[in-house]
Amino acid sequence: MWRRWGAIRPAVWGFDTTGCTCSCLCIIAALVSVSTALVGPIAFLGLLVTSLAHSLMQSHRHALLLPASALIAAIVLVAGQTLFERLLQLQSSLAIVIEFCGGLLFILLLLKGKLR
């Protein structure tokens, strides 16, 4: 399979294609894991907000969904952080709750799509 994509010519010249492929895959896996860790809470917030806006608006029109998503995201962030800091007197970050709820919603959406 690899020979069809041109791995035979570098191998003839003495280039280690297997080692290069493995090292490239390891570097890519490390970069993807770091970027996922850094962007995780924001991605899950986006997943939560868009699915909530889609269920509330009952429409597929982006002219309605985009402003609704932005408004819901702003309300969730401000209200959630206010709830954490003022009412519950917690010094924790809202990102932990967003990651937990986003993970649950992601699993729910995967199972919902599998049941169809």
Side-chain angles (χ1 to χ4, degrees):
M1 183 164 106
W2 289 102
R3 298 199 190 286
R4 183 177 53 191
W5 290 328
I8 194 167
R9 191 171 290 166
V12 168
W13 291 339
F15 188 72
D16 182 24
T17 56
T18 307
C20 182
T21 303
C22 288
S23 62
C24 283
L25 286 176
C26 288
I27 290 170
I28 290 169
L31 290 173
V32 166
S33 65
V34 167
S35 65
T36 303
L38 292 174
V39 181
I42 298 301
F44 278 139
L45 177 68
L47 179 70
L48 284 169
V49 165
T50 53
S51 63
L52 185 61
H54 185 42
S55 66
L56 288 177
M57 298 303 291
Q58 295 293 323
S59 173
H60 293 287
R61 293 187 57 217
H62 288 92
L64 297 174
L65 288 177
L66 286 174
S69 295
L71 184 64
I72 291 172
I75 290 171
V76 165
L77 286 177
V78 171
Q81 197 64 36
T82 303
L83 178 76
F84 261 80
E85 290 179 359
R86 305 291 179 199
L87 297 177
L88 299 177
Q89 301 293 324
L90 296 175
Q91 297 299 322
S92 180
S93 175
L94 184 63
I96 297 168
V97 176
I98 289 173
E99 287 181 19
F100 180 72
C101 294
L104 288 177
L105 180 68
F106 184 67
I107 291 171
L108 181 73
L109 290 174
L110 284 176
L111 291 176
K112 184 178 167 184
K114 189 176 183 179
L115 292 176
R116 285 186 192 175

Short mmCIF file of all heavy atoms in Angstrom, two decimals, residues 40-49 76-77 79-85 88 90-106:
data_model
loop_
_atom_site.label_atom_id
_atom_site.label_comp_id
_atom_site.label_asym_id
_atom_site.label_seq_id
_atom_site.Cartn_x
_atom_site.Cartn_y
_atom_site.Cartn_z
N GLY A 40 -10.07 22.89 24.50
CA GLY A 40 -11.15 22.03 24.97
C GLY A 40 -12.37 22.73 25.54
O GLY A 40 -13.48 22.51 25.08
N PRO A 41 -12.20 23.60 26.56
CA PRO A 41 -13.39 24.23 27.14
C PRO A 41 -14.16 25.10 26.15
O PRO A 41 -15.39 25.11 26.16
CB PRO A 41 -12.83 25.09 28.27
CG PRO A 41 -11.52 24.50 28.59
CD PRO A 41 -11.00 23.90 27.32
N ILE A 42 -13.45 25.79 25.28
CA ILE A 42 -14.13 26.64 24.31
C ILE A 42 -14.88 25.80 23.28
O ILE A 42 -16.00 26.13 22.88
CB ILE A 42 -13.11 27.58 23.62
CG1 ILE A 42 -12.46 28.49 24.64
CG2 ILE A 42 -13.77 28.39 22.52
CD1 ILE A 42 -13.42 29.38 25.39
N ALA A 43 -14.28 24.68 22.88
CA ALA A 43 -14.96 23.81 21.91
C ALA A 43 -16.21 23.20 22.52
O ALA A 43 -17.26 23.11 21.86
CB ALA A 43 -14.02 22.71 21.44
N PHE A 44 -16.12 22.78 23.78
CA PHE A 44 -17.30 22.22 24.42
C PHE A 44 -18.36 23.28 24.68
O PHE A 44 -19.55 23.00 24.60
CB PHE A 44 -16.94 21.51 25.72
CG PHE A 44 -16.42 20.12 25.52
CD1 PHE A 44 -15.36 19.66 26.26
CD2 PHE A 44 -16.98 19.27 24.60
CE1 PHE A 44 -14.88 18.38 26.09
CE2 PHE A 44 -16.51 17.99 24.40
CZ PHE A 44 -15.45 17.55 25.16
N LEU A 45 -17.95 24.50 24.96
CA LEU A 45 -18.93 25.58 25.10
C LEU A 45 -19.64 25.82 23.78
O LEU A 45 -20.86 26.00 23.74
CB LEU A 45 -18.26 26.87 25.58
CG LEU A 45 -19.19 28.07 25.69
CD1 LEU A 45 -20.20 27.86 26.81
CD2 LEU A 45 -18.41 29.34 25.91
N GLY A 46 -18.89 25.79 22.69
CA GLY A 46 -19.50 25.94 21.37
C GLY A 46 -20.48 24.82 21.08
O GLY A 46 -21.55 25.04 20.50
N LEU A 47 -20.11 23.59 21.45
CA LEU A 47 -21.00 22.45 21.25
C LEU A 47 -22.27 22.60 22.07
O LEU A 47 -23.39 22.38 21.56
CB LEU A 47 -20.28 21.15 21.62
CG LEU A 47 -21.06 19.87 21.48
CD1 LEU A 47 -21.29 19.56 20.00
CD2 LEU A 47 -20.33 18.73 22.15
N LEU A 48 -22.13 23.00 23.32
CA LEU A 48 -23.31 23.19 24.18
C LEU A 48 -24.21 24.30 23.66
O LEU A 48 -25.43 24.13 23.57
CB LEU A 48 -22.86 23.55 25.60
CG LEU A 48 -22.32 22.44 26.46
CD1 LEU A 48 -21.68 23.02 27.71
CD2 LEU A 48 -23.42 21.48 26.83
N VAL A 49 -23.61 25.41 23.30
CA VAL A 49 -24.39 26.59 22.90
C VAL A 49 -25.11 26.34 21.57
O VAL A 49 -26.29 26.68 21.43
CB VAL A 49 -23.47 27.82 22.83
CG1 VAL A 49 -24.13 28.95 22.09
CG2 VAL A 49 -23.09 28.25 24.22
N VAL A 76 -24.54 32.33 29.34
CA VAL A 76 -24.01 31.19 30.08
C VAL A 76 -22.70 31.55 30.78
O VAL A 76 -22.49 31.22 31.95
CB VAL A 76 -23.82 29.98 29.13
CG1 VAL A 76 -22.94 28.92 29.75
CG2 VAL A 76 -25.16 29.38 28.76
N LEU A 77 -21.81 32.24 30.08
CA LEU A 77 -20.52 32.58 30.69
C LEU A 77 -20.67 33.57 31.84
O LEU A 77 -20.11 33.37 32.92
CB LEU A 77 -19.57 33.13 29.63
CG LEU A 77 -18.99 32.11 28.67
CD1 LEU A 77 -18.13 32.80 27.63
CD2 LEU A 77 -18.15 31.09 29.43
N ALA A 79 -23.48 34.46 33.57
CA ALA A 79 -24.31 33.93 34.66
C ALA A 79 -23.60 32.80 35.41
O ALA A 79 -23.67 32.73 36.64
CB ALA A 79 -25.64 33.42 34.12
N GLY A 80 -22.90 31.96 34.69
CA GLY A 80 -22.19 30.86 35.34
C GLY A 80 -21.07 31.34 36.22
O GLY A 80 -20.90 30.86 37.36
N GLN A 81 -20.27 32.28 35.74
CA GLN A 81 -19.17 32.79 36.56
C GLN A 81 -19.69 33.58 37.75
O GLN A 81 -19.14 33.51 38.84
CB GLN A 81 -18.24 33.65 35.71
CG GLN A 81 -16.89 33.88 36.33
CD GLN A 81 -16.09 32.60 36.50
OE1 GLN A 81 -16.13 31.72 35.67
NE2 GLN A 81 -15.34 32.53 37.58
N THR A 82 -20.78 34.33 37.55
CA THR A 82 -21.40 35.05 38.66
C THR A 82 -21.94 34.09 39.70
O THR A 82 -21.77 34.30 40.91
CB THR A 82 -22.53 35.96 38.15
OG1 THR A 82 -21.99 36.84 37.17
CG2 THR A 82 -23.15 36.75 39.27
N LEU A 83 -22.57 33.02 39.25
CA LEU A 83 -23.09 32.01 40.17
C LEU A 83 -21.96 31.37 40.97
O LEU A 83 -22.08 31.20 42.19
CB LEU A 83 -23.84 30.94 39.37
CG LEU A 83 -24.41 29.77 40.17
CD1 LEU A 83 -25.66 30.22 40.91
CD2 LEU A 83 -24.72 28.62 39.26
N PHE A 84 -20.87 31.06 40.31
CA PHE A 84 -19.73 30.45 41.00
C PHE A 84 -19.12 31.39 42.03
O PHE A 84 -18.86 30.99 43.16
CB PHE A 84 -18.64 30.07 39.98
CG PHE A 84 -18.66 28.63 39.61
CD1 PHE A 84 -19.56 28.16 38.69
CD2 PHE A 84 -17.79 27.74 40.19
CE1 PHE A 84 -19.59 26.84 38.34
CE2 PHE A 84 -17.80 26.40 39.85
CZ PHE A 84 -18.71 25.94 38.92
N GLU A 85 -18.87 32.64 41.63
CA GLU A 85 -18.15 33.55 42.51
C GLU A 85 -19.02 34.17 43.60
O GLU A 85 -18.58 34.29 44.74
CB GLU A 85 -17.51 34.67 41.68
CG GLU A 85 -16.37 34.20 40.83
CD GLU A 85 -15.77 35.32 40.01
OE1 GLU A 85 -16.27 36.47 40.08
OE2 GLU A 85 -14.80 35.05 39.28
N LEU A 88 -22.24 30.84 45.20
CA LEU A 88 -21.67 29.62 45.77
C LEU A 88 -20.35 29.86 46.51
O LEU A 88 -19.85 28.95 47.17
CB LEU A 88 -21.46 28.57 44.67
CG LEU A 88 -22.73 28.13 43.94
CD1 LEU A 88 -22.38 27.15 42.84
CD2 LEU A 88 -23.71 27.50 44.91
N LEU A 90 -17.37 29.98 45.41
CA LEU A 90 -16.34 29.05 44.96
C LEU A 90 -15.27 29.81 44.18
O LEU A 90 -15.56 30.75 43.46
CB LEU A 90 -16.94 27.97 44.07
CG LEU A 90 -17.95 27.03 44.74
CD1 LEU A 90 -18.54 26.10 43.71
CD2 LEU A 90 -17.28 26.23 45.83
N GLN A 91 -14.06 29.37 44.30
CA GLN A 91 -12.95 29.97 43.56
C GLN A 91 -12.58 29.12 42.35
O GLN A 91 -11.57 29.33 41.73
CB GLN A 91 -11.73 30.13 44.48
CG GLN A 91 -11.97 31.08 45.62
CD GLN A 91 -12.32 32.47 45.15
OE1 GLN A 91 -11.77 32.96 44.17
NE2 GLN A 91 -13.25 33.12 45.85
N SER A 92 -13.40 28.15 42.04
CA SER A 92 -13.13 27.27 40.91
C SER A 92 -13.47 27.97 39.60
O SER A 92 -14.12 29.01 39.58
CB SER A 92 -13.98 26.00 41.05
OG SER A 92 -13.73 25.14 39.97
N SER A 93 -13.03 27.36 38.54
CA SER A 93 -13.27 27.93 37.22
C SER A 93 -14.52 27.32 36.61
O SER A 93 -14.83 26.15 36.84
CB SER A 93 -12.07 27.66 36.32
OG SER A 93 -12.33 28.11 35.04
N LEU A 94 -15.18 28.09 35.82
CA LEU A 94 -16.37 27.62 35.12
C LEU A 94 -16.00 26.62 34.02
O LEU A 94 -16.83 25.81 33.62
CB LEU A 94 -17.12 28.82 34.53
CG LEU A 94 -18.43 28.55 33.83
CD1 LEU A 94 -19.45 27.99 34.81
CD2 LEU A 94 -18.96 29.81 33.20
N ALA A 95 -14.75 26.63 33.58
CA ALA A 95 -14.31 25.74 32.50
C ALA A 95 -14.47 24.28 32.88
O ALA A 95 -14.74 23.44 32.02
CB ALA A 95 -12.86 26.04 32.14
N ILE A 96 -14.31 23.94 34.15
CA ILE A 96 -14.46 22.55 34.59
C ILE A 96 -15.89 22.08 34.39
O ILE A 96 -16.14 20.98 33.89
CB ILE A 96 -14.03 22.42 36.07
CG1 ILE A 96 -12.56 22.78 36.21
CG2 ILE A 96 -14.30 21.02 36.59
CD1 ILE A 96 -12.11 22.96 37.63
N VAL A 97 -16.85 22.89 34.75
CA VAL A 97 -18.26 22.53 34.58
C VAL A 97 -18.61 22.48 33.10
O VAL A 97 -19.35 21.60 32.66
CB VAL A 97 -19.15 23.55 35.34
CG1 VAL A 97 -20.62 23.26 35.10
CG2 VAL A 97 -18.83 23.53 36.81
N ILE A 98 -18.07 23.41 32.31
CA ILE A 98 -18.34 23.41 30.87
C ILE A 98 -17.78 22.15 30.22
O ILE A 98 -18.44 21.53 29.39
CB ILE A 98 -17.75 24.68 30.23
CG1 ILE A 98 -18.56 25.89 30.65
CG2 ILE A 98 -17.72 24.57 28.71
CD1 ILE A 98 -17.97 27.21 30.21
N GLU A 99 -16.57 21.74 30.61
CA GLU A 99 -16.00 20.51 30.06
C GLU A 99 -16.83 19.30 30.43
O GLU A 99 -17.06 18.41 29.61
CB GLU A 99 -14.57 20.33 30.55
CG GLU A 99 -13.59 21.26 29.92
CD GLU A 99 -12.18 21.05 30.42
OE1 GLU A 99 -11.90 19.96 30.96
OE2 GLU A 99 -11.36 21.95 30.25
N PHE A 100 -17.29 19.23 31.68
CA PHE A 100 -18.09 18.10 32.12
C PHE A 100 -19.42 18.04 31.36
O PHE A 100 -19.80 17.00 30.81
CB PHE A 100 -18.34 18.19 33.62
CG PHE A 100 -19.16 17.06 34.17
CD1 PHE A 100 -18.64 15.79 34.28
CD2 PHE A 100 -20.47 17.28 34.56
CE1 PHE A 100 -19.40 14.75 34.77
CE2 PHE A 100 -21.24 16.25 35.05
CZ PHE A 100 -20.71 14.98 35.16
N CYS A 101 -20.13 19.16 31.30
CA CYS A 101 -21.42 19.19 30.60
C CYS A 101 -21.24 18.99 29.11
O CYS A 101 -22.05 18.30 28.46
CB CYS A 101 -22.12 20.51 30.87
SG CYS A 101 -22.61 20.75 32.58
N GLY A 102 -20.18 19.56 28.53
CA GLY A 102 -19.91 19.38 27.11
C GLY A 102 -19.59 17.93 26.78
O GLY A 102 -20.02 17.42 25.74
N GLY A 103 -18.83 17.26 27.64
CA GLY A 103 -18.53 15.85 27.42
C GLY A 103 -19.78 14.99 27.48
O GLY A 103 -19.97 14.09 26.66
N LEU A 104 -20.64 15.27 28.46
CA LEU A 104 -21.90 14.52 28.56
C LEU A 104 -22.78 14.75 27.34
O LEU A 104 -23.38 13.81 26.80
CB LEU A 104 -22.65 14.90 29.83
CG LEU A 104 -22.06 14.40 31.14
CD1 LEU A 104 -22.87 14.92 32.32
CD2 LEU A 104 -21.99 12.90 31.17
N LEU A 105 -22.87 16.00 26.91
CA LEU A 105 -23.68 16.31 25.74
C LEU A 105 -23.11 15.66 24.49
O LEU A 105 -23.85 15.17 23.64
CB LEU A 105 -23.80 17.82 25.54
CG LEU A 105 -24.64 18.25 24.34
CD1 LEU A 105 -26.10 17.89 24.56
CD2 LEU A 105 -24.49 19.72 24.07
N PHE A 106 -21.79 15.66 24.37
CA PHE A 106 -21.15 15.04 23.21
C PHE A 106 -21.46 13.54 23.16
O PHE A 106 -21.81 13.01 22.10
CB PHE A 106 -19.64 15.27 23.28
CG PHE A 106 -18.90 14.75 22.09
CD1 PHE A 106 -19.08 15.33 20.85
CD2 PHE A 106 -18.02 13.70 22.21
CE1 PHE A 106 -18.39 14.86 19.75
CE2 PHE A 106 -17.33 13.23 21.13
CZ PHE A 106 -17.52 13.81 19.89
#
